[in-house]
Amino acid sequence: MTQNTQPPGTTGPASAPADLPTQYTPADVEGKLYERWVERGYFAAHAKSDKEPYTIVIPPPNVTGSLHLGHAFEHTLIDALTRRKRMQGYETLWQPGMDHAGIATQNVVERELAKEGMSRHDLGREAFVERVWRWKAESGGQIAGQMRRLGDGVDWSRERFTMDEGLSRAVRTIFKRLHDDGLIYRAERIINWCPRCLTAISDIEVEYQEDDGELVSIRYGEGEDSLVVATTRAETMLGDTAVAVHPDDPRYAHLVGREITLPLTDRTIPVVADPHVDPEFGTGAVKVTPAHDPNDFEIGRRHGLPQLTVMDEQAAITVHGPFLGLDRLEARSAVVGALRAEGRVVDEKRPYRHSVGHCSRCKTTVEPRLSPQWWVKVAPLARAAGDAVREGRVTIHPKDMASRYFEWVDNMHDWCISRQLWWGHRIPVWFGPDGEIVCVGPDEEPPTGEGWHQETDVLDTWFSSALWPFSTLGWPERTESLAAFYPNSVLVTGYDILFFWVVRMMMFGTYAMDGVPPFREVALHGMVRDQFGKKMSKSFGNAVDPLDWMDTYGSDAVRFTLARGANPGVDVPIGEDWVQASRNFANKIWNATRFALLNGATVEGPLPPADELSPADRWILSRLGAVVAEVDAYYEDYQFAKLSDALFHFAWDEVFDWYVELSKTTFAAGGAPADAARRVLGEVLDTTLRLLHPVVPFVTEELWTTLTGGESVVVAAWPTDPGFRDADAEREIEAVKQLVTEVRRFRADQGLQPGQRVPASLDLSGSGLAAHEEAVRALLRLTAPGEGFSATATLPVGGATVALDLSGAIDYEAERKRLTKDLAAAEKELAQTGAKLGNDSFLAKAPDHVVDRIRTRQETARADIERITAQLARLP
């Protein structure tokens, strides 16, 4: 039954002349278009606007960084969202900026100084910080230019830096408030320490990898009062202050509460009972080194054990004796040797593979270290951050990521915020000569006089980036921008920093902004990987510079490839052949629009009423409305892969491959039907280009402005579903497509070339497609049956009959050779995929999507073998 048969209608300027180049060259278009967009102020957001606001902040890239595929991926998704909202009439702000990246930036400048034979200590703190600012001005921020290449529609007039004057004021303000509220304190705790960078580092800055080490089992105590512990860090035994066993372990019940001898020292240490110990692991006894292990630190606190530090900041041994001054690795070997000489080594395992933390910046092995640091008391802040999601004030996409959020936010430990660096926000605390501690706010004068000095540590970079959603808008001042654009509409970021960044923004946002969370939705995406699902890395040799792909295939091709792989919260495999395919799609859009312009497609005037349109016209308009609705629904659920796929198949398959081809016969016939088809084609292309624009902005801008004569698709109206549906027309054209597809498949099976013309007679009376005979003949390259016509093949399809005369059209011997070659290739593919899927080791290690792809290849190979074998059997 036909539904809502009145088609949509729009008016617009007459179509522009068909002056498009014959080929699309991205390099000739992208740069000039982006600069035009910026110059015209399309991306500028106005706080005083009457429009409904829509705000997204950029996850601030490091000032030391350059655009990598992860950036390109994330920026593509954010840009698509903001471009669509701008077209929908929202006052849209995509807030740009960069992070000062404390440890990374300091390392870069220190390496430069090292080339000059200097260290930062040669310069002194003030001169070194000035040197970093100079580096930032000269070399930092190259990523901004690369963002322009990608097409990022950010408001450059609002660009911020986490150490600019305004954001620095925000940092000092919130530190002061948290400190005065008792939520910031100073205490000795175990932290991750980098002996090379000489600073505490956050958990996210620790990279774990499997290293070869040794597991040494050591006998503590004497005779019946002895027990055996195992360790991979024998040098830390010099700082042991206890041995712990489980309270219910009968093997050691007689030792609990007693003292035993600590080898190589003149000390005795107690045996304590603690439920943390796993009696089933190893010997069930563990050495306790509270100053050099986080778990041991907690055991030590529970039992009041001394905290004996045995290494300095550079991980050299500090205790007296033969090990004094040795590097930790040298000491490890020396300690084991001394224990072996005393007969204390019970067992040694080499190599012993175990997970070891390394500094992500310099790759040095991280050392757990007891150190006085500044901490945020997170319990009340984390509770508020959790409640915001539980109460529905913030929604996480995809929904299954919410459980991971709660797992982290409900089990947070206090946050170490101090770093032993010179580059960063210096902690605004002054120490007095008599132990006074004064926290100084941004409008307060620090104490002066003899003996007063400021804390030398700086704040963790995550502290300032946790303020990003509101500090960039002018907080702590109550600015117009803050009132207009806070809270942000959505945060788009990777699931890998859900804890490190998202949770911290939630904590600080609800604290600083009177309980209002920093955003209403969180859309989490996965990581970009290579086409085999492997992490991209320079060391793996599979890292890709997106600028190289943009140079070769255009920015639109890179963007579309990334968006088409973006399923919420799932990692995204990408390969160069997929970018090539997206480049082909951009070319297809270009060529189809150029064809339309050459044939008079127009957006001028209203669409003709439904009864003046052909079934093909009504079909494509019906499909257009459905696609608009489908794409809108996918956008609202952050289903970028599905919306990109829907647009790809609609544009390529339905508009370009079917409607454009069906229109050719209409154009050739002329008259009113041709005029109607030109108007419908203009309407469809206008809407399709607008739908595609957020993901592929450059090619759509060039085509849309040429097609419509409009100012820019950037500020054009986003399409709305007009509600036009025509089920009868959809069924009719689907029947035409089925007929053409089946005959094309038969032609291909017979070895006919796509453009090869074949005599045929058509009987379409039983299918109801008689009105489409001319179009069917054109699409199938079928000529009228001439004198002497003799059907050698007859195909019944959906009530229609197609009789073909293939005599003289096929070289059967050549066709047999071709099919035999194809059969051999299909059999080889079947054997190769079968071997992989039969390999248990491969199946255990390969990602699921890689295994699924190979299974698909195997199924395709089986189908090809069956098809080709049937074709060979039909040959005379």
Side-chain angles (χ1 to χ4, degrees), residues 591-634:
N591 293 333
T593 306
R594 189 170 183 275
F595 164 84
L597 289 167
L598 290 170
N599 284 274
T602 181
V603 296
E604 185 176 9
L607 284 167
D611 57 6
E612 295 179 15
L613 297 177
S614 70
D617 295 336
R618 297 196 305 275
W619 161 72
I620 198 63
L621 290 173
S622 181
R623 288 293 305 127
L624 180 66
V627 167
V628 170
E630 185 179 12
V631 168
D632 274 336
Y634 286 143

Side-chain angles (χ1 to χ4, degrees), residues 42-92:
Y42 292 154
F43 305 142
H46 305 286
K48 294 183 178 180
S49 172
D50 293 332
K51 299 177 183 177
E52 184 177 347
Y54 184 82
T55 317
I56 295 181
V57 294
I58 190 173
N62 288 351
V63 69
T64 59
S66 60
L67 192 74
H68 56 64
L69 269 180
H71 288 128
F73 172 55
E74 186 168 75
H75 290 200
T76 294
L77 305 187
I78 299 175
D79 198 40
L81 290 173
T82 52
R83 283 179 182 270
R84 173 175 174 262
K85 287 296 184 180
R86 190 177 294 113
M87 295 172 74
Q88 287 181 316
Y90 288 78
E91 191 62 37
T92 303

Side-chain angles (χ1 to χ4, degrees), residues 198-462:
L198 299 180
T199 181
I201 59 177
S202 67
D203 291 339
I204 197 174
E205 293 167 319
V206 179
E207 293 179 348
Y208 288 89
Q209 65 184 48
E210 294 292 315
D211 286 356
D212 283 336
E214 60 179 348
L215 182 67
V216 182
S217 298
I218 308 166
R219 180 170 51 85
Y220 284 22
E222 308 294 340
E224 293 183 358
D225 291 345
S226 67
L227 40 69
V228 175
V229 300
T231 181
T232 59
R233 303 167 67 221
E235 71 281 5
T236 64
M237 67 159 292
L238 301 172
D240 286 358
T241 56
V243 172
V245 298
H246 194 275
D248 299 329
D249 194 332
R251 294 172 294 177
Y252 306 114
H254 66 292
L255 289 177
V256 173
R258 296 175 57 182
E259 298 274 329
I260 62 172
T261 302
L262 177 65
L264 305 183
T265 73
D266 57 359
R267 294 191 289 120
T268 60
I269 56 177
V271 177
V272 299
D274 194 277
H276 171 77
V277 179
D278 181 359
E280 303 298 323
F281 183 78
T283 64
V286 297
K287 58 191 289 298
V288 181
T289 321
H292 293 278
D293 183 274
N295 293 321
D296 293 3
F297 176 79
E298 296 300 328
I299 293 175
R301 288 215 300 183
R302 286 194 289 272
H303 297 276
L305 299 174
Q307 300 166 341
L308 181 59
T309 299
V310 297
M311 287 182 225
D312 65 14
E313 294 179 345
Q314 295 177 321
I317 301 299
T318 58
V319 293
H320 296 291
F323 313 113
L324 180 64
L326 292 180
D327 172 79
R328 57 184 164 167
L329 299 181
E330 296 172 332
R332 185 172 302 167
S333 177
V335 166
V336 172
L339 289 167
R340 193 183 298 114
E342 290 190 4
R344 295 281 183 175
V345 176
V346 177
D347 187 31
E348 297 179 71
K349 292 181 180 178
R350 290 195 191 92
Y352 179 74
R353 299 286 289 174
H354 63 130
S355 181
V356 178
H358 296 260
C359 174
S360 63
R361 303 299 178 187
C362 68
K363 311 307 177 187
T364 301
T365 300
V366 169
E367 190 66 38
R369 187 169 189 268
L370 184 64
S371 174
Q373 302 286 342
W374 289 93
W375 303 81
V376 171
K377 186 181 295 183
V378 300
L381 303 174
R383 185 163 50 251
D387 289 345
V389 176
R390 287 190 175 92
E391 294 168 2
R393 289 178 287 137
V394 177
T395 303
I396 294 177
H397 302 268
K399 291 181 180 178
D400 58 6
M401 285 287 179
S403 60
R404 183 181 299 189
Y405 174 85
F406 292 131
E407 180 182 340
W408 281 333
V409 81
D410 293 342
N411 297 283
M412 285 186 70
H413 299 294
D414 284 359
W415 171 19
C416 176
I417 57 173
S418 46
R419 298 292 180 266
Q420 290 64 53
L421 302 171
W422 286 357
W423 173 246
H425 295 281
R426 192 166 175 179
I427 291 176
V429 169
W430 271 254
F431 300 103
D434 298 318
E436 302 97 330
I437 298 178
V438 176
C439 181
V440 179
D443 297 318
E444 300 172 347
E445 291 294 326
T448 58
E450 186 177 352
W452 283 94
H453 64 279
Q454 186 179 356
E455 167 68 79
T456 57
D457 289 355
V458 301
L459 288 164
D460 177 14
T461 297
W462 294 105

Side-chain angles (χ1 to χ4, degrees), residues 588 595 656-658 660-662 664-665 739-741 743-745 747-748 752-762 772-785 789 802-806 809:
K588 186 79 169 180
F595 164 84
F656 305 150
D657 277 359
W658 285 106
V660 167
E661 293 300 316
L662 288 167
K664 288 180 179 178
T665 55
L739 171 62
V740 172
T741 300
V743 177
R744 280 177 174 169
R745 184 178 294 118
R747 285 174 55 107
L752 293 173
Q753 296 300 313
Q756 190 172 352
R757 298 192 174 276
V758 177
S761 66
L762 302 181
H772 299 282
E773 179 170 347
E774 187 176 355
V776 169
R777 285 189 176 277
L779 291 167
L780 290 172
R781 304 295 192 270
L782 302 179
T783 61
F789 172 83
V802 180
L804 306 168
D805 182 0
L806 303 180

Side-chain angles (χ1 to χ4, degrees), residues 588-817:
K588 186 79 169 180
I589 300 170
W590 184 272
N591 293 333
T593 306
R594 189 170 183 275
F595 164 84
L597 289 167
L598 290 170
N599 284 274
T602 181
V603 296
E604 185 176 9
L607 284 167
D611 57 6
E612 295 179 15
L613 297 177
S614 70
D617 295 336
R618 297 196 305 275
W619 161 72
I620 198 63
L621 290 173
S622 181
R623 288 293 305 127
L624 180 66
V627 167
V628 170
E630 185 179 12
V631 168
D632 274 336
Y634 286 143
Y635 262 116
E636 295 306 312
D637 198 32
Y638 304 100
Q639 297 279 359
F640 296 98
K642 290 182 178 179
L643 72 88
S644 299
D645 212 46
L647 286 170
F648 173 86
H649 287 295
F650 174 71
W652 192 310
D653 298 346
E654 297 185 278
V655 179
F656 305 150
D657 277 359
W658 285 106
Y659 183 69
V660 167
E661 293 300 316
L662 288 167
S663 297
K664 288 180 179 178
T665 55
T666 307
F667 292 153
D675 291 338
R678 292 186 182 98
R679 180 63 189 89
V680 170
L681 182 54
E683 181 78 10
V684 171
L685 286 175
D686 170 18
T687 304
T688 302
L689 291 171
R690 283 185 281 145
L691 288 172
L692 283 165
H693 173 72
V695 182
V696 285
F698 294 109
V699 67
T700 51
E701 171 78 340
E702 192 77 351
L703 294 174
W704 187 86
T705 53
T706 303
L707 171 70
T708 68
E711 176 187 344
S712 172
V713 70
V714 176
V715 291
W718 178 254
T720 55
D721 176 13
F724 175 74
R725 301 292 188 271
D726 192 324
D728 290 342
E730 290 198 36
R731 279 192 295 269
E732 187 171 335
I733 299 304
E734 285 303 318
V736 172
K737 290 168 63 178
Q738 181 186 7
L739 171 62
V740 172
T741 300
E742 289 297 322
V743 177
R744 280 177 174 169
R745 184 178 294 118
F746 177 78
R747 285 174 55 107
D749 288 347
Q750 299 305 308
L752 293 173
Q753 296 300 313
Q756 190 172 352
R757 298 192 174 276
V758 177
S761 66
L762 302 181
D763 181 2
L764 305 180
S765 57
S767 64
L769 302 179
H772 299 282
E773 179 170 347
E774 187 176 355
V776 169
R777 285 189 176 277
L779 291 167
L780 290 172
R781 304 295 192 270
L782 302 179
T783 61
E787 188 176 345
F789 172 83
S790 176
T792 60
T794 301
L795 301 176
V797 182
T801 302
V802 180
L804 306 168
D805 182 0
L806 303 180
S807 58
I810 301 175
D811 182 340
Y812 290 109
E813 187 58 34
E815 182 63 10
R816 184 174 286 103
K817 289 181 180 179

